[in-house]
Amino acid sequence: MDATVRLTVNGNDMEFDVDSQLTLLDALRDRLRLTGTKKGCDQGACGACTVLLDGKRVLSCLMLAVQCEDRHVTTIEGLAASGELHPLQEAFVRHDGLQCGYCTPGQIMSAFALLKEGRADSDEQIREFMSGNLCRCGAYPNIVAAIREVAALEGGRR
């Protein structure tokens, strides 16, 4: 192991040894056993591995774990509070934005950031800012509907 990384994941302080080449995605999945974040293309092209780093969406397959020293990471597991689904997670279920579900964690994390950024004023804007997250099942209309519902409830911001 080359380095010790200290970071906060879903509100919990973590410290672990890593090889300097270990990605944030692999650290989350293999070291911390947070398997909600998915490994899709492992090249930054699909968005399945989207997490929040200091509140901004990043592709965790392109981030090295050592780059996250003293930073805050939020994964799909960190959105639910006290065992209750986040309103965005509930909306994805209601609108069948899941289908096979493989891309869903990355879609939800990207949608959460999009809402926080106030970029949900129209379907076109939602589609534009979600374009980095691919869904092989083609659930895009349902995903947009789920985001639109939460945006309407929360005034476009979270």
Side-chain angles (χ1 to χ4, degrees):
M1 297 298 150
D2 296 323
T4 299
V5 174
R6 285 174 290 287
L7 64 153
T8 303
V9 180
N10 300 330
N12 300 306
D13 292 333
M14 305 280 185
E15 182 175 321
F16 51 95
D17 294 328
V18 297
D19 176 298
S20 62
Q21 302 284 322
L22 186 71
T23 64
L24 175 58
L25 172 61
D26 289 333
L28 291 170
R29 291 183 58 78
D30 299 337
R31 296 290 171 84
L32 302 180
R33 303 289 184 229
L34 295 170
T35 57
T37 304
K38 302 302 181 208
K39 184 180 278 198
C41 67
D42 213 19
Q43 298 175 347
C46 73
C49 67
T50 304
V51 298
L52 303 181
L53 183 63
D54 296 332
K56 301 204 182 303
R57 51 187 148 172
V58 297
L59 300 171
S60 61
C61 74
L62 297 181
M63 293 285 307
L64 295 176
V66 294
Q67 292 176 287
C68 300
E69 179 74 23
D70 296 325
R71 297 178 80 182
H72 295 267
V73 176
T74 306
T75 68
I76 191 71
E77 292 92 345
L79 286 190
S82 304
E84 298 291 322
L85 291 178
H86 184 276
L88 192 54
Q89 292 169 309
E90 291 175 347
F92 265 69
V93 170
R94 233 182 344 274
H95 289 277
D96 194 25
L98 308 170
Q99 300 215 2
C100 86
Y102 198 80
C103 72
T104 305
Q107 295 276 1
I108 290 174
M109 295 308 294
S110 193
F112 181 86
L114 169 139
L115 290 164
K116 187 176 174 187
E117 296 161 3
R119 298 178 187 242
D121 293 331
S122 67
D123 287 1
E124 293 76 23
Q125 192 177 40
I126 292 169
R127 283 193 291 275
E128 174 68 24
F129 287 98
M130 290 295 292
S131 65
N133 292 80
L134 304 179
C135 173
R136 293 188 68 182
C137 299
Y140 297 115
N142 303 0
I143 291 168
V144 170
I147 296 167
R148 188 177 52 240
E149 175 186 303
V150 175
L153 291 173
E154 299 181 1
R157 295 187 187 274
R158 172 81 180 108

